[in-house]
Amino acid sequence: PPAVWRARRRWASRGLASLSAPLLGWCADMRKGFRLWGAVVLYMAAIFYMSALSNPPVPAGTDKSLHGLAYLGLAILVLRALVGGLPKRIGIRVAVSAFLITVLYAATDEVHQMFVPGRMADVLDLFADAGGAFVGTAACWAWGIISPVSRDEL
């Protein structure tokens, strides 16, 4: 970006060129990290808010499917944050990490529901959450394989 180039020129004129590239690169990476992980935190906050409602506005008979769908979305956002954006080729270690982060959050959410009046923790909800997390992680992994061009190759 032009602002980065101007800053590098200013730093170079002061004899600080060797410091400018890593420092400015770190700032750009930090902004990207805030954007990627910020989406994860906001999504988790939305799940927490819905879990804190004593009587959430959920149509009858859709509880498990909504759990799966919610955690499918969270798994995609966590995976996206771990790899620095999508589409990317995803290794098994990253996929397992994203799955575990998502399922661990789901477990804490079920514990949280034990303290909400009118709600209870349910192991079947946790299984639905884990199923959604698995589908989201698997979809991102498959997308990285079949994607004809990833941002890494541009």
Side-chain angles (χ1 to χ4, degrees):
V4 172
W5 298 328
R6 285 192 299 274
R8 284 184 182 164
R9 274 188 254 131
R10 278 195 311 269
W11 283 54
S13 68
R14 295 179 187 142
L16 301 172
S18 62
L19 296 176
S20 68
L23 182 62
L24 293 174
W26 179 75
C27 289
D29 289 343
M30 194 169 169
R31 279 192 304 264
K32 184 177 181 183
F34 279 135
R35 190 182 79 239
L36 293 170
W37 285 103
V40 172
V41 170
L42 286 174
Y43 199 92
M44 286 177 164
I47 290 173
F48 185 87
Y49 172 76
M50 291 301 290
S51 294
L53 298 175
S54 292
N55 191 15
V58 176
T62 62
D63 179 51
K64 302 300 183 252
S65 59
L66 290 177
H67 270 268
L69 190 61
Y71 283 90
L72 179 145
L74 181 59
I76 290 171
L77 288 177
V78 169
L79 193 58
R80 177 178 161 256
L82 286 174
V83 299
L86 292 175
K88 294 232 178 160
R89 305 249 187 269
I90 298 162
I92 190 71
R93 185 173 288 165
V94 174
V96 169
S97 297
F99 176 77
L100 289 177
I101 289 168
T102 305
V103 172
L104 286 173
Y105 184 75
T108 63
D109 185 52
E110 290 302 317
V111 171
H112 165 241
Q113 287 182 24
M114 290 187 334
F115 300 101
V116 176
R119 303 290 300 266
M120 62 181 192
D122 185 1
V123 174
L124 295 178
D125 284 349
L126 185 59
F127 287 151
D129 300 342
F134 179 79
V135 170
T137 304
C140 289
W141 178 75
W143 184 19
I145 289 174
I146 63 174
S147 178
V149 176
S150 73
R151 290 183 186 159
D152 293 337
E153 299 164 356
L154 292 177

